[in-house]
C-alpha cells in the first residue's frame, strides 16, 4: 500500500488486464443476383450496407459482375453475425455459397464500411469502384503475409476474372 492507503500492483499491465480480447470474424461468399437488378437497386443496397456496417463496426468489399456477387466482410463477431443474418435473408440474391466463415487475426478493410465495384450507370458505384481498384493493388501484398484468408484469396481471384473478361 502507498501512503494514500491504495494498494499498489506489482504485476505488469498485461497481467492486470483481464478484459477479453475482441474476436474478429470474416465471412466470404458468392451468390447469384436475382434477375432485373438495376443500378438504383445496387445504390440502395450499398447505402444501406454502409450505414449498417458502420453501426456494427463491420468493414468489407462487395464485387458484382452483373450476375454474381462476391462479398468479403470482417469485424467483431457479434456485428458480423448481425450483418450476415441480413445478408442471408436478402431477396437480391440466391444460391449463397460460403467460402470462409471464421476467426481472423488481421482486418484488411478497416477504412471501408463497404467498398463495391460495378460501374454501369451509377455514380455511387463508380466512386466505390475507384476506391476498390486502389485497394486491390495492395491486397496481394496482404495475402502474401496472411495465412487465414481463403476468402480474400477468392475475392482477388474473382476480381482478376472480372478484369480479364473486360480486357
Amino acid at each position: 500500500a502507498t501512503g494514500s492507503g491504495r494498494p499498489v500492483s506489482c504485476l505488469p499491465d498485461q497481467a492486470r488486464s483481464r478484459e477479453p480480447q475482441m474476436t474478429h470474424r470474416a465471412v466470404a461468399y458468392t451468390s447469384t443476383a436475382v434477375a432485373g437488378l438495376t443500378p438504383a437497386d445496387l445504390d440502395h443496397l450499398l447505402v444501406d450496407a454502409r450505414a449498417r456496417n458502420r453501426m456494427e463496426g463491420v468493414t468489407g468489399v462487395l464485387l458484382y459482375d452483373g450476375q454474381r456477387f462476391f462479398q468479403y466482410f470482417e469485424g467483431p463477431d457479434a456485428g458480423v453475425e448481425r450483418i450476415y443474418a441480413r445478408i442471408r435473408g436478402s431477396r437480391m440474391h440466391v444460391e449463397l455459397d460460403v467460402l470462409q466463415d471464421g476467426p481472423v487475426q488481421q482486418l484488411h478493410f478497416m477504412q471501408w464500411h463497404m467498398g463495391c465495384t460495378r460501374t454501369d450507370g451509377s455514380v455511387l458505384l463508380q466512386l466505390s469502384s475507384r476506391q476498390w481498384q486502389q485497394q486491390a493493388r495492395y491486397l496481394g501484398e496482404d495475402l502474401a503475409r496472411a495465412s487465414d484468408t481463403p476468402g480474400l484469396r477468392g475475392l482477388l481471384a474473382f476480381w482478376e476474372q472480372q478484369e480479364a473478361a473486360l480486357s
Side-chain angles (χ1 to χ4, degrees):
T2 65
S4 67
R6 291 188 182 148
V8 175
S9 173
C10 296
L11 296 174
D13 288 341
Q14 291 175 333
R16 276 187 269 153
S17 174
R18 297 288 180 224
E19 295 179 27
Q21 289 190 344
M22 183 180 293
T23 301
H24 290 102
R25 175 179 170 193
V27 174
Y29 70 87
T30 60
S31 63
T32 302
V34 297
L37 285 183
T38 66
D41 293 329
L42 295 171
D43 277 353
H44 178 73
L45 170 71
L46 189 55
V47 167
D48 183 60
R50 283 182 172 174
R52 291 187 184 280
N53 288 0
R54 181 173 281 124
M55 288 188 308
E56 298 291 353
V58 172
T59 58
V61 65
L62 173 68
L63 303 181
Y64 176 61
D65 69 2
Q67 297 176 353
R68 296 173 301 142
F69 290 107
F70 190 119
Q71 185 168 16
Y72 177 94
F73 58 103
E74 60 192 15
D77 188 49
V80 167
E81 183 54 40
R82 285 187 286 274
I83 296 298
Y84 194 27
R86 290 183 54 81
I87 289 168
R88 288 188 304 257
S90 173
R91 295 183 186 147
M92 297 185 94
H93 63 150
V94 295
E95 300 172 357
L96 194 134
D97 182 23
V98 179
L99 306 172
Q100 175 181 345
D101 181 359
V104 290
Q105 295 175 3
Q106 178 183 356
L107 299 179
H108 296 276
F109 297 100
M110 291 180 287
Q111 302 301 317
W112 290 33
H113 291 288
M114 186 49 59
C116 183
T117 185
R118 175 76 176 174
T119 59
D120 52 351
S122 164
V123 173
L124 183 57
L125 286 172
Q126 289 176 15
L127 292 172
S128 292
S129 182
R130 275 191 220 120
Q131 184 184 22
W132 163 249
Q133 289 169 354
Q134 291 171 352
Q135 180 71 23
R137 292 182 205 151
Y138 303 107
L139 191 55
E141 294 172 17
D142 286 349
L143 289 175
R145 294 186 302 268
S147 62
D148 61 347
T149 57
L152 284 177
R153 293 181 202 293
L155 179 74
L156 195 56
F158 187 90
W159 169 253
E160 290 169 348
Q161 288 172 353
Q162 274 189 315
E163 288 295 291
L166 296 174
S167 300

